[in-house]
Amino acid sequence: MTQPLALSGLEVAQGNLNGNYLTGNEWSTVLWTSDLGPCVAICGYNGDTAFLIHSDSTRASGIGATDLASGLQALIPGIGVDSGYALTLIGGSTAGTAAYLREHLAEAEIVDGGWADSAYITGDGRVAPTKRKLAEALGAESITIV
C-alpha cells in the first residue's frame, strides 16, 4: 500500500493576470485552482517551467479585463514563439479556448483535459483534474496540499 503525500501548493486565483508558474521540475510542488464552472484552467509545461492560469474569458473582459493571450505572455514572456509548451485545458469551455489558443499560440501543443471543477499541475508537468487523480499520477494513496 502506498503512503499519503503532502505537497507544497500555490492556489491560482481566477483572472488572466493571476497565473503563476514553477521552475525546476519539482514534482512535490503544485499549482492548483478550483471553482472552474464555465472557466478554463490552462496548465502549461515545457520541460522546465510549469504554469497555470484560471481564465474566465479569452477576451479583454472578466476579472482583470485582460485577454488570455496577453495574460499568458505577461506570465511567460515569449510563449508561442517556438516555446515548446504543452497546454492542457481543463474546465468549462475547453473547445472554444482551444480554438482561441491555436490562433494565438500556434507553436503550442494543446490537449483537451475535459470538464472538471478543479485543476492541478506539478512542477514536473503532471496535470490532473482532481486531487485523487493527482495522487494516482504520483503513485500515492492520497495527497494533501499545504
Side-chain angles (χ1 to χ4, degrees), residues 5 7 10 20 24 39 41 49 56 65 83 90 126 134-135 143-144 146:
L5 283 176
L7 306 176
L10 300 167
N20 209 332
C39 300
T49 302
D56 58 349
S83 61
I90 297 174
R126 297 176 216 209
L134 183 57
I143 62 166
T144 56
V146 293

Side-chain angles (χ1 to χ4, degrees), residues 43-116:
C43 303
Y45 185 67
N46 75 345
D48 180 56
T49 302
F51 74 84
L52 190 147
I53 286 181
H54 178 147
S55 181
D56 58 349
S57 175
T58 56
R59 297 178 305 280
S61 61
I63 294 176
T66 300
D67 65 282
L68 179 56
S70 296
L72 285 166
Q73 290 163 346
L75 181 64
I76 308 291
I79 191 168
V81 183
D82 298 326
S83 61
Y85 276 92
L87 307 178
T88 301
L89 311 181
I90 297 174
S93 180
T94 55
T97 303
Y100 171 87
L101 290 172
R102 285 187 181 100
E103 184 179 323
H104 289 86
L105 302 174
E107 298 297 323
E109 172 191 350
I110 298 171
V111 176
D112 189 335
W115 189 92

Side-chain angles (χ1 to χ4, degrees), residues 17 24-25:
L17 286 177
N25 295 314

